[in-house]
Amino acid sequence: MNSWCIFDLPGKEVEIASLQKKSEDPELWNDREHAQRIMKNLADLRDELEGWRKLENRITSSLELAELEDESLQPDLEAELEPIEKELEQRELSTLLAGPYDKGDALLTISSGAGGTESNDWAAMLQRMYLRWIERHNYEAEVLDLTEGEEAGIKSVTISVKGRLAYGYLHAEKGVHRLVRLSPFDSAHRRHTSFAQVEVLPEVTSETATVQINPEDLRIDVYRSAGAGGQNVQKNSTAVRITHLPTGLVVSCQNERSQMQNRESAMRVLQARLEDIAQQERDKELANLRGEYVKTEWGSQIRSYVLHPYQMVKDHRTEYEVGNAQAVLDGDLDGFIEAYLRWRLDPAKE
């Protein structure tokens, strides 16, 4: 029951003390963005340390009660054991996220594959699934760009996900997702297979950025926002498209009210994509941040969602699967994410 020792409590206390000292610097708020990151990191570390301390106290108290060997306490001890084990597993899992970006925010992009309306609808189902997962984890979601399908669903969406460990967890979702179902768009109700690509990139701050963007390398176009958009999208030219000329990368944002906000959001996405390319070049591994690019078609999927003729969701990397497909589509992804994080560290995997 001493498993909490996997978390370096004294080391975190030293880190908190260092951040506390920085937070007391009278010149800290001269750089507001830097100051906000310091305060956020300090608050996150304090919450994390407090959580481990509370868990340690619960374990110690349970052990002390068990040592009394009082049979009347057995039901209470058994009831306490399951939530302790569950929380300990979750906290142990978080220690696996030690990458340079794992503890930060994420940019999640969903793009429909070939297949028109079917794939567009599947991309919209994935958007709903991830928004439900984000809500379950009390993260903040902001839709930066959304392109709707011509008949139904979406062609693509980019979502900013803010919260501690957001990138570390969502990184497990990068790749092609495959859906098999009876089509609601087919009058003959035939079975269809659809694909969508999920891309996950870390949000990059000025402190973690390694790529400097030269303004002269950018072509910036403004245009009217497309799609329904609701009241949050104005009819004038507020949407922004930025082309990075040296690489040919194109990013767009249209969901904010002002052109300036959309430009800032587009620059965040562009910075993340350029950082991803730089990381790939440094490591010579396409799978490090974004993963190796694969065509969105049959045979390349990381996960299959089968709704007909039976219900099953299976991850092809880890072999983890569940029979309740609807629960997964409602955002119950933690089992898949945990399986991936443990599989990633398994030396026996290919």
Side-chain angles (χ1 to χ4, degrees):
M1 296 290 280
N2 289 329
S3 298
W4 63 78
C5 292
I6 60 176
F7 184 74
D8 183 11
L9 299 184
K12 293 301 178 183
E13 289 174 340
V14 171
E15 192 174 350
I16 288 173
S18 175
L19 288 173
Q20 178 65 39
K21 186 176 181 179
K22 291 180 180 179
S23 72
E24 295 170 355
D25 185 348
E27 297 184 0
L28 175 66
W29 288 93
N30 291 342
D31 184 342
R32 186 174 183 83
E33 182 181 353
H34 173 70
Q36 288 176 335
R37 282 195 296 272
I38 291 291
M39 300 308 294
K40 182 179 184 300
N41 290 339
L42 180 58
D44 287 344
L45 279 171
R46 282 174 171 167
D47 288 344
E48 188 175 13
L49 183 63
E50 182 181 2
W52 278 101
R53 289 298 189 196
K54 287 181 178 179
L55 179 60
E56 182 179 3
N57 290 336
R58 289 175 66 186
I59 294 173
T60 301
S61 297
S62 296
L63 286 172
E64 290 174 349
L65 290 176
E67 290 172 355
L68 296 176
E69 299 182 353
D70 185 342
E71 293 186 1
S72 66
L73 298 175
Q74 188 70 20
D76 293 334
L77 286 171
E78 291 178 353
E80 178 72 353
L81 181 60
E82 183 177 351
I84 285 178
E85 290 181 338
K86 185 176 181 180
E87 183 177 350
L88 187 57
E89 288 177 0
Q90 288 299 313
R91 291 191 174 277
E92 179 187 5
L93 184 63
S94 70
T95 66
L96 301 178
L97 301 174
Y101 302 107
D102 283 348
K103 289 182 169 55
D105 304 331
L107 290 171
L108 172 71
T109 297
I110 305 167
S111 305
S112 62
T117 301
E118 291 285 347
S119 292
N120 291 345
D121 187 58
W122 173 223
M125 291 170 65
L126 286 175
Q127 179 190 15
R128 175 184 177 275
M129 180 183 76
Y130 287 118
L131 289 175
R132 290 291 184 90
W133 180 86
I134 291 167
E135 182 180 1
R136 285 175 178 227
H137 287 262
N138 296 315
Y139 289 158
E140 295 180 16
E142 177 188 5
V143 176
L144 302 181
D145 188 53
L146 174 67
T147 302
E148 297 180 346
E150 295 177 357
E151 297 182 21
I154 60 173
K155 293 182 178 179
S156 66
V157 63
T158 297
I159 304 170
S160 171
V161 185
K162 294 190 177 297
R164 183 169 176 79
L165 301 174
Y167 175 73
Y169 288 133
L170 283 172
H171 186 235
E173 297 300 296
K174 65 179 179 64
V176 177
H177 296 244
R178 165 181 174 249
L179 172 70
V180 179
R181 64 171 173 174
L182 294 179
S183 171
F185 305 100
D186 187 335
S187 58
H189 297 291
R190 290 171 293 189
R191 189 170 65 182
H192 282 250
T193 300
S194 306
F195 298 89
Q197 175 98 18
V198 174
E199 180 184 20
V200 182
L201 297 171
E203 281 258 32
V204 182
T205 66
S206 58
E207 293 179 344
T208 58
T210 62
V211 177
Q212 297 298 318
I213 300 177
N214 185 347
E216 296 180 357
D217 291 338
L218 304 179
R219 185 177 72 235
I220 301 176
D221 302 306
V222 296
Y223 58 99
R224 282 191 173 187
S225 299
Q231 297 179 351
N232 291 330
V233 178
Q234 298 182 1
K235 299 302 181 182
N236 54 359
S237 298
T238 59
V240 173
R241 180 186 299 109
I242 300 179
T243 304
H244 186 250
L245 300 176
T247 61
L249 284 176
V250 178
V251 298
S252 60
C253 286
Q254 61 175 319
N255 277 52
E256 300 291 349
R257 290 180 176 271
S258 73
Q259 185 183 127
M260 180 177 294
Q261 288 175 311
N262 281 319
R263 178 170 175 165
E264 291 176 352
S265 295
M267 286 298 295
R268 286 162 56 193
V269 178
L270 177 61
Q271 182 75 58
R273 292 186 183 277
L274 290 174
E275 293 289 338
D276 181 41
I277 292 174
Q279 185 69 39
Q280 292 176 12
E281 292 175 346
R282 284 193 298 267
D283 294 348
K284 303 298 183 182
E285 293 178 355
L286 296 180
N288 189 27
L289 287 180
R290 178 180 178 182
E292 182 179 1
Y293 179 76
V294 288
K295 285 189 68 176
T296 312
E297 61 182 16
W298 183 273
S300 61
Q301 63 273 1
I302 63 161
R303 189 178 302 155
S304 292
Y305 305 71
V306 181
L307 304 185
H308 183 84
Y310 54 89
Q311 286 210 3
M312 177 72 69
V313 181
K314 179 177 181 178
D315 194 292
H316 302 292
R317 302 162 299 181
T318 65
E319 301 300 319
Y320 182 85
E321 61 183 39
V322 297
N324 190 346
Q326 189 56 54
V328 176
L329 293 173
D330 285 336
D332 187 4
L333 297 171
D334 288 348
F336 289 96
I337 292 173
E338 178 177 350
Y340 172 80
L341 292 176
R342 297 190 185 282
W343 168 84
R344 186 178 61 175
L345 297 178
D346 184 358
K349 80 177 190 314
E350 295 183 1

